[in-house]
Amino acid sequence: MRTHTSHDVRRWLAGVGSIAAAVNATTPLPELLDLIARTACELTGYDASGVLLADDAHRTLRISGSSGLSADYVVDVNERRTITLADGPLSGGPSSRAFRTARPVPIEDILSDPSFEPWAGLARDYGYRAIAAVPLLIAGEPVGTLNCYERDVHEFGEDELTLLATLANQAATALQSARMITSLTAQRKLLEQAEEIHRELTAVALRAGGVQGVAEALARLLGSPVLVTDAAGTVFANAPHRGVQLSAGAQIPAGLHDDDIDEDAETGRVTAPVLLGRDVVARLWLSGSAAALTELDRRAIEHAALVCSLEFVRRRTAEDVEWSMRADLLADVLAGASADALSARAIPLGHDLSRAHTVLVAAVDGSPADQANRTLVSVLHALADRLEPRPLVTAPGGHVVLLWPDTATGEDVTTFAELVRTGTRRALEGATVTVVIGRRCARIDETPAAVGTARGAMELARLRGADRTITLPDLGVYGLLLQLNDPTELVRFATQVLAPLREYDQRKNTQLVDTVRSYLDHGMNVTRTATALFVHPNTIGLRLKKVEELAGVALQQPESLLRLKVALMADDVFGTDGPGGQPAPDRQGRPNIATRSTRSSNSTRRSSRPGSRSE
């Protein structure tokens, strides 16, 4: 508890006089608030002081001027432990009570006072132990508080609180005078500020300052930190103000207006959409409330959003050109163009085609659709933007092919594949995606064959269920068969084994091949096979005897079972739909596994229908 002499009174009068002089000199409000806080420390001898002002809606109190308070403490209180005036866990502290009751609220030891518990750990970290909150009243109505801090436990005496109330009254009067002066000069400055907004933001656009330049200009104009996030909530630009920087939220709340300035009540921030046509491609974020924005503030935000949209158009155009060049390059790689010519074209795009690459093939599950394919490519582009160098991407037919450089920095290839699946599912509202991580190619001329293998793996994977990320080892023996350099003899073997059965099926309209396939898939169990094919077990027995007769095998012998199993697996991988039972060749003269028949899938569906014909 402190006592004060007549000398102290003269010092108080001098301090109050300095505040009045600052008001008459039209000192900016932030500087005036800092002066009030500094004067409070000088006159009282307290270790720190802060001026807290309420927002227009009287929902929160924020430290708007300070002396002796750590800048980190101010940020923590304002941004992460914002003092509220309505009901809630952050509304019972001394500042909120002083504001509501219009009476001083002293706390001798904040560590032992339950009302200060939300800020106790913070105060302890920064060395504050006692506090007195005194209301700032204008015409009897509270507009904020004057808070004084001590580093030791301190009992605030009645005289101290009376003098603090007197200082707070003088400070409130100064605030009221400052606001009146500001109001009188507002109209004159309005046109000047509007011109400044136009000049600043137009200059950013003309010099191609980017989205970060727009955010920095807006932060200067509005005196507020500005954050820009893309449509997914990822930080695109961040401009601090007076040492305060907005942190990115975990996700963008639902229900925000897509055509006007809005407010996120949960974080206490103002947000405005950045539009390209009708699409929201980004959002501007500022601290504060939408209700507190002046017409000039709104004009500045809207102008900034427009300039941001121009920057996104500029960026998107450049990216579209670059992605088009990458797609053309990969298309020529797949077409088998000269490696030397390809390498020369790749260098300006940041690629070294002499280094190893891994092939990825992705596709939206279900019937191919142009829109789904475009969405998948867009998701791939957005994710690839994080990598250096960016992978090559092209979309031939119903698949999207990506060439992943071993030198890529960012996510590993498996993580990237999962991000592609989740990102596309979100963009297409639940559609599923299958991604195949194919072979690693040491030379660029190995890529076409690796892509063919991966596309064949895609078709095989879908027979076992789509919506997953797979590698060739995941397919077991099928994956090994897909990677054979010359499967001609294997195809000939499959044709020799299965041709008599197929000819019989075609002539008699039976299902011997489907029956053998199902029999092997069900562990050579006649009953389960009959259930799967919707026929009587006796029918299965008759079919299997016919298979033994036509194929010249005995199903009780393991070698015969292996012979049929290998033939069916080769047929699944390579098909036998070409002339003479051979698959049509690809550019290298090999059986074309990329356009392989999905006969096994179709035949399974056909034989699964009730009422199928049986012998």
Side-chain angles (χ1 to χ4, degrees):
M1 182 170 62
R2 293 189 176 94
T3 59
H4 298 274
T5 66
S6 59
H7 174 70
D8 294 328
V9 173
R10 287 194 295 271
R11 288 179 54 250
W12 277 63
L13 292 175
V16 171
S18 67
I19 294 174
V23 172
N24 292 333
T26 64
T27 301
L29 184 59
E31 295 180 19
L32 178 62
L33 297 176
D34 287 343
L35 174 61
I36 291 172
R38 186 166 62 253
T39 301
C41 287
E42 292 172 351
L43 297 180
T44 62
Y46 296 134
D47 294 314
S49 179
V51 179
L52 285 67
L53 296 182
D55 61 2
D56 289 344
H58 285 191
R59 285 186 291 196
T60 63
L61 284 172
R62 303 178 73 85
I63 301 175
S64 304
S66 65
S67 177
L69 290 177
S70 163
D72 291 337
Y73 177 82
V74 173
V75 172
D76 278 337
V77 171
N78 283 347
E79 300 300 328
R80 288 179 279 278
R81 294 176 177 84
T82 306
I83 300 169
T84 59
L85 296 172
D87 293 336
L90 299 178
S91 65
S95 303
S96 301
R97 285 185 284 150
F99 186 93
R100 287 194 296 264
T101 63
R103 295 178 59 84
V105 177
I107 296 180
E108 180 177 338
D109 183 0
I110 59 179
L111 297 184
S112 62
D113 191 305
S115 71
F116 206 80
E117 192 276 333
W119 303 273
L122 187 62
R124 182 178 59 249
D125 292 342
Y126 289 96
Y128 307 129
R129 193 65 182 271
I131 185 175
V134 183
L136 297 175
L137 304 175
I138 295 179
E141 294 295 326
V143 296
T145 64
L146 174 64
N147 290 4
C148 293
Y149 302 78
E150 282 278 35
R151 295 188 178 278
D152 299 315
V153 174
H154 178 75
E155 179 184 354
F156 294 90
E158 193 66 32
D159 289 346
E160 285 183 79
L161 296 178
T162 300
L163 289 173
L164 283 177
T166 301
L167 180 58
N169 289 337
Q170 294 301 319
T173 301
L175 284 176
Q176 183 180 31
S177 299
R179 288 177 176 178
M180 290 177 64
I181 293 173
T182 301
S183 177
L184 291 173
T185 58
Q187 293 301 317
R188 176 178 60 82
K189 290 185 177 180
L190 185 61
L191 291 177
E192 296 176 1
Q193 291 172 336
E195 179 61 26
E196 178 68 12
I197 289 170
H198 176 76
R199 185 168 56 251
E200 283 260 356
L201 295 175
T202 301
V204 172
L206 291 176
R207 68 172 182 267
V211 178
Q212 180 65 32
V214 177
E216 291 171 354
L218 187 60
R220 288 193 302 272
L221 291 168
L222 298 187
S224 169
V226 176
L227 176 73
V228 184
T229 61
D230 64 15
T234 303
V235 175
F236 210 88
N238 205 339
H241 178 72
R242 293 172 64 85
V244 178
Q245 189 174 54
L246 297 181
S247 59
Q251 61 183 28
I252 296 176
L256 293 177
H257 290 121
D258 288 347
D259 57 357
D260 197 5
I261 296 173
D262 202 351
E263 182 177 346
D264 177 14
E266 185 173 339
T267 60
R269 295 180 182 178
V270 174
T271 180
V274 177
L275 300 172
L276 283 184
R278 296 183 178 180
D279 297 330
V280 177
V281 296
R283 280 193 171 275
L284 302 177
W285 299 89
L286 301 91
S287 58
S289 66
L293 294 175
T294 66
E295 186 61 32
L296 194 64
D297 294 336
R298 288 180 171 273
R299 189 181 306 177
I301 294 172
E302 290 167 357
H303 198 154
L306 176 60
V307 177
C308 276
S309 69
L310 295 176
E311 290 296 332
F312 274 99
V313 168
R314 193 199 313 266
R315 178 186 176 90
R316 179 170 292 185
T317 300
E319 288 180 346
D320 286 348
V321 171
E322 182 178 343
W323 280 117
S324 178
M325 295 173 65
R326 292 174 183 276
D328 291 344
L329 176 62
L330 181 51
D332 289 344
V333 167
L334 299 182
S338 165
D340 292 339
L342 293 172
S343 295
R345 289 168 54 192
I347 291 174
L349 298 174
H351 280 272
D352 180 1
L353 295 186
S354 67
R355 305 292 291 270
H357 291 71
T358 299
V359 166
L360 273 77
V361 172
V364 178
D365 298 321
S367 301
D370 289 342
Q371 182 58 46
N373 211 29
R374 286 195 294 270
T375 300
L376 176 56
V377 170
S378 296
V379 170
L380 277 166
H381 286 176
L383 292 172
D385 276 339
R386 309 175 185 177
L387 306 174
E388 185 62 38
R390 296 171 180 169
L392 303 179
V393 179
T394 190
H399 298 76
V400 178
V401 178
L402 181 142
L403 201 59
W404 179 280
D406 272 9
T407 54
T409 58
E411 293 91 355
D412 62 86
V413 66
T414 304
T415 301
F416 182 84
E418 286 302 307
L419 291 173
V420 169
R421 293 180 57 248
T422 56
T424 307
R425 182 164 56 242
R426 188 184 307 114
L428 292 177
E429 299 181 349
T432 60
V433 177
T434 298
V435 180
V436 174
I437 301 175
R439 288 196 291 115
R440 180 178 179 272
C441 302
R443 302 192 316 273
I444 197 62
D445 58 5
E446 298 175 359
T447 304
V451 170
T453 299
R455 293 178 65 182
M458 172 79 70
E459 296 301 326
L460 283 175
R462 285 175 165 174
L463 299 180
R464 301 182 176 186
D467 188 24
R468 56 185 175 140
T469 297
I470 60 171
T471 62
L472 294 178
D474 293 336
L475 297 174
V477 176
Y478 286 104
L480 293 175
L481 295 178
L482 282 169
Q483 298 179 74
L484 288 177
N485 288 328
D486 185 7
T488 305
E489 290 302 321
L490 187 60
V491 171
R492 185 177 292 116
F493 167 77
T495 301
Q496 180 182 357
V497 172
L498 299 178
L501 306 184
R502 286 216 169 95
E503 291 172 1
Y504 188 87
D505 282 344
Q506 185 175 7
R507 189 172 66 253
K508 298 290 188 178
N509 192 24
T510 56
Q511 299 173 11
L512 297 185
V513 174
D514 293 345
T515 299
V516 172
R517 188 186 301 279
S518 183
Y519 179 68
L520 294 174
D521 288 344
H522 289 89
M524 289 78 73
N525 185 291
V526 172
T527 301
R528 291 204 300 268
T529 303
T531 300
L533 298 180
F534 298 98
V535 296
H536 195 277
N538 290 342
T539 300
I540 298 299
L542 292 173
R543 290 182 184 179
L544 294 177
K545 287 182 180 179
K546 179 59 70 175
V547 168
E548 290 180 322
E549 175 187 332
L550 293 173
V553 298
L555 295 180
Q556 293 78 20
Q557 297 178 357
E559 183 179 349
S560 295
L561 294 173
L562 179 61
R563 179 182 180 86
L564 289 170
K565 182 65 175 178
V566 171
L568 289 170
M569 291 180 73
D571 183 59
D572 285 342
V573 174
F574 303 112
T576 54
D577 292 337
Q582 299 295 321
D586 62 11
R587 287 189 179 90
Q588 285 75 37
R590 297 171 48 198
N592 195 338
I593 58 178
T595 55
R596 173 188 64 78
S597 165
T598 55
R599 172 176 47 261
S600 60
S601 174
N602 295 333
S603 63
T604 299
R605 288 193 295 269
R606 184 170 59 249
S607 63
S608 297
R609 292 195 299 266
S612 296
R613 187 184 186 280
S614 61
E615 291 81 3

